[in-house]
Amino acid sequence: MYSSLNTNGNAAAFETGPVSGRFAAVYSEVQNSRIDHALPLPSVLRNPFKVVEGPPSSAAGNPDEIAKLFLNLFGQPSAMLVPNEADSLRSDLKLKIGVVLSGGQAPGGHNVISGIFDYLQDRAKGSILYGFRGGPAGIMKCKYIELNADYIYPYRNQGGFDMICSGRDKIETPEQFKQAEETAVKLDLDGLVVIGGDDSNTNACLLAENFRGKNLKTRVVGCPKTIDGDLKCKEVPTSFGFDTACKIYAEMIGNVMIDARSTGKYYHFVRLMGRAASHITLECALQTQPNITIIGEEVAAKKQTLKNVTDYMVDVICKRAELGYNYGVILIPEGLIDFIPEVQQLIAELNEILAHDVVDEDGIWKKKLTNQSLKLFEFLPQAIQEQLMLERDPHGNVQVAKIETEKMLIQMVETELEKRKQEGSYKGHFKGQSHFFGYEGRCGLPTNFDASYCYALGYGAAALLHSGKTGLISSVGNLGAPVEEWTVGGTALTSLMDVERRHGKFKPVIKKAMVELEGAPFKKFASVREDWALKNCYISPGPIQFVGPSSNAVSHTLLLELGAQA
Amino acid sequence: MYSSLNTNGNAAAFETGPVSGRFAAVYSEVQNSRIDHALPLPSVLRNPFKVVEGPPSSAAGNPDEIAKLFLNLFGQPSAMLVPNEADSLRSDLKLKIGVVLSGGQAPGGHNVISGIFDYLQDRAKGSILYGFRGGPAGIMKCKYIELNADYIYPYRNQGGFDMICSGRDKIETPEQFKQAEETAVKLDLDGLVVIGGDDSNTNACLLAENFRGKNLKTRVVGCPKTIDGDLKCKEVPTSFGFDTACKIYAEMIGNVMIDARSTGKYYHFVRLMGRAASHITLECALQTQPNITIIGEEVAAKKQTLKNVTDYMVDVICKRAELGYNYGVILIPEGLIDFIPEVQQLIAELNEILAHDVVDEDGIWKKKLTNQSLKLFEFLPQAIQEQLMLERDPHGNVQVAKIETEKMLIQMVETELEKRKQEGSYKGHFKGQSHFFGYEGRCGLPTNFDASYCYALGYGAAALLHSGKTGLISSVGNLGAPVEEWTVGGTALTSLMDVERRHGKFKPVIKKAMVELEGAPFKKFASVREDWALKNCYISPGPIQFVGPSSNAVSHTLLLELGAQA
């Protein structure tokens, strides 16, 4: 029990800044109960272990180029922790470790940090853990806080990233690498844990290579974080946060489904976070069994147009109307329109025009669009046209999150249904309701799965640093089994990499893991979606439970992928 | 355990219509676990009881007019169930009871029906329960289903209204009353339970009066349903569904708060369902402690303008920016703009113009607006202007739910902040994110409180009908105590009524219970909101738990109101 918690509610001490900690925070009963939730550890971490190495690794693609980019690290083997008669690492080593959160929030980040901290307490007593504040910028500016037991305690099993906060800066330029080196030297760092997504882990590996090249002692290990679920491979079966976020969205979708069935008059168009890949949408579909689910990767593979997507929806809606159902639930991935080739083309042209030309009120600028793009642009509802012209992100990209795809599709479906009504092929009535579930899921209380997974990731990452490893991503496997049977190790980050050509140079990238159309989760979905379309097979998962039924459930995606591997 | 549940997920039997039942439904583990959740009953209902009467009642206002409108029922006493040595009601009576769901969904409706059914099974074996389908229209058209144990079983403790579905029709005209009589006679009904909000309970009383006047044996009892929480009085401390809906919204708000604090760069504008009253917004504020909360009733009482509301927000945002906080969470009631006198005036004028005039493209119609209204109309962002002109509900009212107040306020706040920036009084940065939480909360799995409360309401309603009572609303009290100590009875519906003059006639109405600015919940909020504004006192309630911590918590509103009464 967190004794200094103030449950009065109106006398919380004044916080002095965004990372002043939760010492004075007011906690709900559920938050409070989670603090002392006992986290199981994989048995290999509870007992003496040694680190064994696998065979030399290669790269996900273009190994020759990756080898040139990582002269020191390319080819290094993965590491695996295995039981040993006695501990193989010196417990009298006092390590100085830094940790940083990079990018968007994902439930469980605090537990990764707790895991690192507890490892150091348990196995390298007297070590120091620095938390870099506000993401990679904290490394570059040497802004940090020394984390101790009291500071960490109220964040255990809690959502959010506010223990040290995160940021989206990148360590990219030679000057920035220099700054990172200076911090590593100044703090005498033995190791650094980078908690982040694909980009951040690529960056972690570049940092590891750089430190190694400069003969610094600082090792770097990554941890797979993203609710989007698009950072995974055989050794890293899932990224943390995906489980919690999907369950939060699925709760809401399930509620909306019961509402749809009770009311009988609305089609709910639910857009779900996840820009680059549609894993969240697919997982939520598997959990809730909606009538229509659009998977961006399928749209792209089949080179579908917006009209195709609209027609698919309208066909289902018409068939349902014939069965007497004028309601339904439709899931749409946030990044849908990015997956549609004709839209990509339009956006590319718009990016070009907006970067170099004046957009005049009279629309003369539109003449610069190709015929196909102009036609598509004019076909879009006006509100969407305006959103496409809105401010760009720092990389000059259209901010897909700002485009209300769900509203656009409602309008397009309405228009098409009206047409079919006049043709006599549709006699139902249609009312669309739009939803966007995003921010609600990024900072929820981690599920038991994410809480345990993150704790093991952090604990394992510290073990890797303790054993002198660098350039690895913390890898916890066998996740379908009870926690005690989970495997723990590290995978060479270079083995996940390929190169992309940017500005005439090869850049290493960890490829985003997209929804595989031949993968088990999609195939399962594809095999039942026609049933779901016309029958009402809705499942309402209900709120996440921390004890009792389903409290230890694992995501469908993970289970299906593990099953297919087995 | 619901043995016929299909957990395979892809072989659910084909449903033949919206009220074909959940026999073939696929349930999540949590849904499944809830079916057999044992519901506690107040001890008075578990033991022999008798029904005692209170003193004659009056009306909430204009008793003389109410007396004229309810010649048979006016002044009747309330009823209270009290322990007795033996049961006072004949258990060999075989009753025929109808039940109807009226209006929008609220979590717990299925449990009211279960409660009625179980009462009949327990205390009047051999009775029949008819569920009228699709709301009051089901009564008028005599569309019903006979409810039996198997049919009801899968709906126990489940959200939604899909057991018999609901509807928004009203029994109003003499022809409609005639139809209701015909159904009552045809089915030989001893009683009818109307589960609904203020309007539906007014209607229930008119039906009771009508049946009594026609010497029909059919008695009518109401049950207080609405997530909005605006149907309550001393004897009916809360309406069902409010507890669950608020906890669902509060979970989401809590998550968004942690996100806001972690990210440090967004102001989240959260609009919450509840058009006529701001109880939901107030309850969610008490549960989560946001920086800014707008309560419609206060805005109305202080005759605030949209500019006043915007300025209040901007003042807080500026002060927070000085403290280094460029983030926050703001709660807004769905019906906010309805509470603003100048907006009400504008809407009234628009209603008039839209009903009688042509709205021309050139805007000549605007000349019909008063100066003040024209000024306000032109002051509104264009998207809102368009929404104000959108289709009306069947009563000709602007559809407030369609007006995206949260987006409107973001735009207005942005504009004002820009002004202050230029004046030099604001140096922060502002990004707004909008949310609307509504449908997600109406059909969630009922909390333990709502599940038990509804079960007692239904069980008690059947007892009232069994004892021959009519024109009462089922009243379960002492809700701050453990369930076994809850009181059970019925309150004369006429005692909740006042009259309103409509079309030159007096109409009886149960006045909506608004947020009382002198009530304990608002006063509590008002006493701490300045702290919440500048400090960050966020509470994240987390997902609703069915076992363990907070699983039996009662809403703050209810507790504070009970405390003030005590």
Side-chain angles (χ1 to χ4, degrees):
Chain A
M1 189 64 153
Y2 182 32
S3 59
S4 69
L5 282 179
N6 173 345
T7 52
N8 183 349
N10 58 357
F14 194 85
E15 289 193 26
T16 54
V19 286
S20 66
R22 290 197 189 179
F23 294 107
V26 189
Y27 271 30
S28 70
E29 249 189 276
V30 174
Q31 281 182 300
N32 221 342
S33 75
R34 292 301 288 169
I35 291 183
D36 290 323
H37 166 67
L39 288 168
L41 263 183
S43 70
V44 68
L45 292 176
R46 284 192 279 109
N47 297 299
F49 63 80
K50 64 178 176 183
V51 181
V52 297
E53 293 191 341
S57 65
S58 181
N62 290 296
D64 294 347
E65 298 301 330
I66 295 296
K68 283 185 221 160
L69 291 163
F70 295 92
L71 294 172
N72 293 290
L73 295 183
F74 177 77
Q76 69 167 336
S78 292
M80 180 66 75
L81 273 58
V82 296
N84 201 31
E85 280 184 27
D87 269 324
S88 59
L89 304 174
R90 283 175 51 192
S91 65
D92 62 335
L93 274 182
K94 294 195 194 333
L95 300 169
K96 289 176 184 146
I97 305 286
V99 60
V100 68
L101 294 162
S102 182
Q105 280 74 251
H110 290 147
N111 275 27
V112 178
I113 301 175
S114 308
I116 301 168
F117 183 79
D118 289 356
Y119 178 91
L120 296 177
Q121 293 290 104
D122 294 347
R123 309 246 181 181
K125 198 89 187 165
S127 294
I128 293 174
L129 180 60
Y130 298 108
F132 289 104
R133 294 176 156 206
I139 300 176
M140 295 187 279
K141 296 179 192 162
C142 200
K143 273 183 61 181
Y144 64 89
I145 182 169
E146 192 181 323
L147 298 169
N148 59 38
D150 285 346
Y151 195 90
I152 286 176
Y153 180 61
Y155 293 95
R156 288 184 183 266
N157 300 308
Q158 306 293 315
F161 271 10
D162 50 318
M163 189 202 288
I164 52 174
C165 290
S166 181
R168 293 188 183 273
D169 302 275
K170 284 185 185 173
I171 300 172
E172 283 182 313
T173 65
E175 296 72 39
Q176 289 170 328
F177 276 104
K178 190 89 186 60
Q179 289 173 326
E181 279 164 49
E182 284 167 7
T183 295
V185 170
K186 184 177 165 197
L187 296 181
D188 191 32
L189 285 186
D190 296 291
L192 173 67
V193 180
V194 175
I195 304 170
D198 50 341
D199 266 4
S200 305
N201 274 285
T202 304
N203 220 239
C205 195
L206 285 167
L207 213 49
E209 172 72 20
N210 187 270
F211 288 162
R212 175 66 58 89
K214 297 279 168 67
N215 278 320
L216 295 196
K217 67 171 181 175
T218 315
R219 271 91 178 186
V220 186
V221 164
C223 278
K225 174 232 66 168
T226 166
I227 64 165
D228 294 356
D230 57 8
L231 170 55
K232 62 181 172 185
C233 59
K234 192 165 171 294
E235 297 81 3
V236 180
T238 188
S239 58
F240 78 77
F242 176 73
D243 188 75
T244 306
C246 288
K247 284 174 182 162
I248 291 172
Y249 301 144
E251 175 197 355
M252 297 298 121
I253 295 164
N255 288 356
V256 163
M257 282 172 161
I258 305 282
D259 202 273
R261 178 156 58 188
S262 294
T263 315
K265 64 179 180 186
Y266 293 119
Y267 269 92
H268 293 271
F269 287 62
V270 180
R271 180 167 51 113
L272 292 163
M273 213 170 227
R275 175 174 173 176
S278 301
H279 297 289
I280 288 178
T281 301
L282 180 56
E283 172 65 24
C284 288
L286 291 166
Q287 286 188 30
T288 63
Q289 308 192 164
N291 304 108
I292 296 173
T293 305
I294 307 296
I295 299 298
E297 287 84 343
E298 185 183 28
V299 169
K302 295 186 175 168
K303 295 193 173 41
Q304 292 181 331
T305 63
L306 258 185
K307 178 93 174 68
N308 295 148
V309 173
T310 309
D311 283 347
Y312 168 60
M313 291 182 176
V314 170
D315 289 346
V316 172
I317 291 168
C318 287
K319 280 186 207 154
R320 288 180 60 81
E322 281 172 28
L323 297 167
Y325 303 132
N326 286 295
Y327 64 89
V329 175
I330 299 174
L331 305 190
I332 305 154
E334 182 182 14
L336 172 63
I337 66 171
D338 252 359
F339 283 104
I340 300 176
E342 59 170 357
V343 179
Q344 289 173 333
Q345 174 66 24
L346 170 63
I347 287 174
E349 292 180 27
L350 286 176
N351 280 343
E352 198 64 25
I353 291 171
L354 288 167
H356 301 105
D357 294 292
V358 176
V359 175
D360 57 302
E361 294 256 333
D362 297 336
I364 298 173
W365 65 271
K366 289 186 197 165
K367 289 187 182 162
K368 301 206 169 75
L369 291 171
T370 59
N371 266 343
Q372 181 203 304
S373 290
L374 179 59
K375 212 172 136 191
L376 174 60
F377 189 77
E378 303 283 2
F379 173 63
L380 294 170
Q382 199 192 334
I384 303 300
Q385 291 182 2
E386 283 166 15
Q387 283 178 329
L388 281 174
M389 314 298 289
L390 271 184
E391 47 172 325
R392 306 301 160 106
D393 72 12
H395 310 288
N397 298 321
V398 167
Q399 294 200 302
V400 178
K402 295 215 170 173
I403 295 178
E404 299 182 303
T405 324
E406 68 284 17
K407 290 190 180 167
M408 174 180 82
L409 286 166
I410 288 175
Q411 287 187 40
M412 294 172 121
V413 164
E414 261 173 3
T415 306
E416 179 63 25
L417 283 173
E418 195 47 49
K419 212 177 102 195
R420 298 208 190 174
K421 195 162 244 175
Q422 283 169 9
E423 291 167 4
S425 59
Y426 172 63
K427 292 182 179 64
H429 45 91
F430 173 83
K431 273 189 190 177
Q433 289 286 355
S434 62
H435 306 263
F436 173 50
F437 298 147
Y439 295 94
E440 301 87 338
R442 304 197 314 176
C443 281
L445 280 164
T447 56
N448 284 339
F449 173 81
D450 267 330
S452 300
Y453 181 51
C454 287
Y455 192 64
L457 284 172
Y459 208 95
L464 294 172
L465 290 173
H466 193 189
S467 71
K469 299 292 174 193
T470 190
L472 304 183
I473 183 167
S474 182
S475 307
V476 174
N478 197 27
L479 298 175
V483 175
E484 58 198 24
E485 295 168 33
W486 288 359
T487 59
V488 181
T491 306
L493 279 163
T494 47
S495 75
L496 310 183
M497 289 187 192
D498 197 345
V499 288
E500 269 184 13
R501 204 152 178 105
R502 287 187 201 160
H503 308 298
K505 280 186 179 171
F506 282 120
K507 289 267 181 191
V509 288
I510 296 176
K511 278 253 171 118
K512 279 190 195 295
M514 307 301 283
V515 170
E516 297 285 346
L517 302 188
E518 290 305 315
F522 183 83
K523 279 167 80 175
K524 164 80 181 173
F525 158 72
S527 74
V528 287
R529 65 175 149 184
E530 281 180 40
D531 261 15
W532 296 353
L534 301 185
K535 302 168 191 176
N536 296 316
C537 308
Y538 303 152
I539 294 181
S540 180
I544 290 170
Q545 298 297 295
F546 296 115
V547 287
S550 87
S551 57
N552 291 312
V554 177
S555 75
H556 291 236
T557 300
L558 182 56
L559 278 185
L560 288 164
E561 285 178 346
L562 291 174
Q565 271 175 34
Chain B
M1 190 65 153
Y2 182 33
S3 59
S4 69
L5 285 179
N6 173 345
T7 53
N8 184 348
N10 58 357
F14 195 84
E15 289 191 27
T16 54
V19 285
S20 66
R22 289 197 190 179
F23 294 108
V26 188
Y27 271 29
S28 69
E29 249 189 275
V30 174
Q31 281 182 301
N32 222 340
S33 75
R34 291 301 288 167
I35 292 184
D36 290 323
H37 167 66
L39 288 169
L41 263 183
S43 70
V44 69
L45 292 175
R46 284 191 280 108
N47 297 300
F49 64 79
K50 64 178 177 185
V51 180
V52 297
E53 294 191 342
S57 66
S58 180
N62 292 296
D64 295 346
E65 296 301 331
I66 295 296
K68 284 185 220 160
L69 291 164
F70 295 92
L71 293 172
N72 293 289
L73 295 183
F74 178 76
Q76 70 167 336
S78 293
M80 181 65 74
L81 273 58
V82 295
N84 201 29
E85 281 184 25
D87 269 325
S88 59
L89 303 174
R90 285 177 50 193
S91 66
D92 62 335
L93 275 181
K94 294 195 195 336
L95 299 169
K96 289 177 184 146
I97 305 286
V99 60
V100 67
L101 293 163
S102 183
Q105 279 73 251
H110 289 148
N111 275 26
V112 178
I113 301 176
S114 308
I116 302 168
F117 182 79
D118 289 357
Y119 178 91
L120 296 176
Q121 292 290 104
D122 294 346
R123 308 244 181 182
K125 197 91 189 165
S127 293
I128 293 174
L129 180 59
Y130 297 109
F132 288 105
R133 292 175 158 207
I139 300 176
M140 296 187 278
K141 296 179 191 161
C142 201
K143 275 183 61 182
Y144 64 90
I145 181 168
E146 192 182 322
L147 298 169
N148 60 36
D150 284 347
Y151 195 90
I152 286 176
Y153 180 62
Y155 294 96
R156 288 184 184 265
N157 302 309
Q158 305 294 315
F161 272 9
D162 51 317
M163 189 202 290
I164 53 174
C165 289
S166 181
R168 294 188 183 272
D169 302 277
K170 284 185 185 174
I171 301 172
E172 282 182 312
T173 65
E175 296 72 40
Q176 290 170 328
F177 276 105
K178 188 90 185 65
Q179 290 173 326
E181 281 164 47
E182 285 168 7
T183 295
V185 170
K186 185 177 165 195
L187 295 181
D188 191 31
L189 286 188
D190 296 291
L192 174 67
V193 180
V194 176
I195 303 170
D198 50 343
D199 267 2
S200 305
N201 274 285
T202 304
N203 220 237
C205 195
L206 285 166
L207 214 49
E209 172 72 20
N210 187 268
F211 288 162
R212 175 65 60 88
K214 297 280 169 67
N215 277 321
L216 295 195
K217 67 169 179 176
T218 315
R219 271 90 180 186
V220 186
V221 164
C223 278
K225 171 232 70 169
T226 166
I227 63 164
D228 294 356
D230 57 7
L231 170 55
K232 63 180 171 186
C233 59
K234 192 165 170 293
E235 297 82 4
V236 180
T238 189
S239 57
F240 78 76
F242 176 74
D243 189 75
T244 307
C246 288
K247 284 173 182 163
I248 291 172
Y249 301 143
E251 176 196 354
M252 296 299 120
I253 295 164
N255 288 356
V256 164
M257 282 172 163
I258 305 282
D259 203 272
R261 179 157 57 187
S262 295
T263 316
K265 64 180 179 185
Y266 293 119
Y267 269 92
H268 293 270
F269 286 62
V270 181
R271 180 168 50 114
L272 293 162
M273 213 171 227
R275 175 177 172 175
S278 301
H279 296 289
I280 289 178
T281 302
L282 180 56
E283 172 64 24
C284 288
L286 291 167
Q287 285 188 31
T288 63
Q289 311 193 163
N291 304 108
I292 296 173
T293 305
I294 307 296
I295 300 298
E297 288 84 342
E298 185 183 26
V299 169
K302 296 187 174 169
K303 296 193 171 42
Q304 293 182 330
T305 63
L306 259 185
K307 179 94 176 64
N308 295 148
V309 173
T310 309
D311 283 346
Y312 168 59
M313 292 182 174
V314 170
D315 289 346
V316 171
I317 291 168
C318 287
K319 280 185 207 154
R320 288 180 59 80
E322 282 173 28
L323 296 167
Y325 302 133
N326 286 295
Y327 64 89
V329 175
I330 299 175
L331 305 190
I332 304 155
E334 182 182 14
L336 171 63
I337 66 170
D338 252 359
F339 282 103
I340 300 177
E342 59 170 358
V343 179
Q344 289 172 333
Q345 174 66 23
L346 170 63
I347 288 173
E349 292 179 27
L350 286 175
N351 280 342
E352 197 64 24
I353 291 169
L354 289 167
H356 300 107
D357 295 291
V358 176
V359 175
D360 56 302
E361 294 255 334
D362 297 336
I364 298 173
W365 65 272
K366 289 186 198 166
K367 290 187 182 161
K368 300 210 169 73
L369 290 171
T370 58
N371 267 343
Q372 181 203 304
S373 290
L374 179 59
K375 213 172 137 190
L376 173 60
F377 189 78
E378 304 282 2
F379 173 63
L380 294 170
Q382 199 192 335
I384 303 299
Q385 291 182 1
E386 282 167 15
Q387 283 177 329
L388 280 175
M389 314 297 290
L390 270 186
E391 47 173 324
R392 306 301 159 109
D393 72 13
H395 310 287
N397 299 320
V398 167
Q399 295 201 300
V400 178
K402 294 214 170 172
I403 296 180
E404 299 182 302
T405 324
E406 68 284 17
K407 290 190 180 166
M408 175 181 79
L409 285 167
I410 288 175
Q411 288 187 41
M412 294 172 119
V413 164
E414 261 173 2
T415 307
E416 179 63 25
L417 283 172
E418 195 47 48
K419 213 178 100 195
R420 298 208 190 175
K421 196 162 243 175
Q422 283 169 9
E423 291 167 3
S425 59
Y426 172 64
K427 292 182 179 63
H429 45 88
F430 173 84
K431 274 190 189 175
Q433 289 285 354
S434 62
H435 307 263
F436 172 50
F437 298 147
Y439 295 93
E440 300 87 336
R442 303 197 316 177
C443 281
L445 280 164
T447 55
N448 284 339
F449 173 80
D450 268 330
S452 300
Y453 180 51
C454 287
Y455 192 62
L457 283 172
Y459 208 94
L464 294 172
L465 291 172
H466 192 191
S467 71
K469 299 292 174 193
T470 192
L472 304 182
I473 183 166
S474 182
S475 307
V476 174
N478 197 27
L479 298 175
V483 175
E484 57 198 24
E485 296 169 31
W486 287 359
T487 60
V488 180
T491 306
L493 279 162
T494 47
S495 75
L496 310 183
M497 288 187 192
D498 196 343
V499 288
E500 269 183 12
R501 205 153 177 105
R502 287 187 201 161
H503 308 298
K505 280 186 182 173
F506 282 121
K507 289 266 180 191
V509 289
I510 296 176
K511 278 252 170 118
K512 279 189 195 297
M514 308 301 282
V515 170
E516 297 286 345
L517 302 188
E518 291 304 315
F522 183 83
K523 280 167 80 176
K524 164 81 181 173
F525 158 72
S527 73
V528 287
R529 64 175 150 184
E530 282 181 39
D531 261 15
W532 296 354
L534 301 186
K535 302 168 191 177
N536 296 317
C537 308
Y538 302 152
I539 294 181
S540 180
I544 290 169
Q545 298 297 295
F546 295 116
V547 286
S550 87
S551 57
N552 291 311
V554 177
S555 74
H556 291 237
T557 301
L558 182 55
L559 278 186
L560 287 165
E561 286 178 345
L562 291 175
Q565 272 175 34

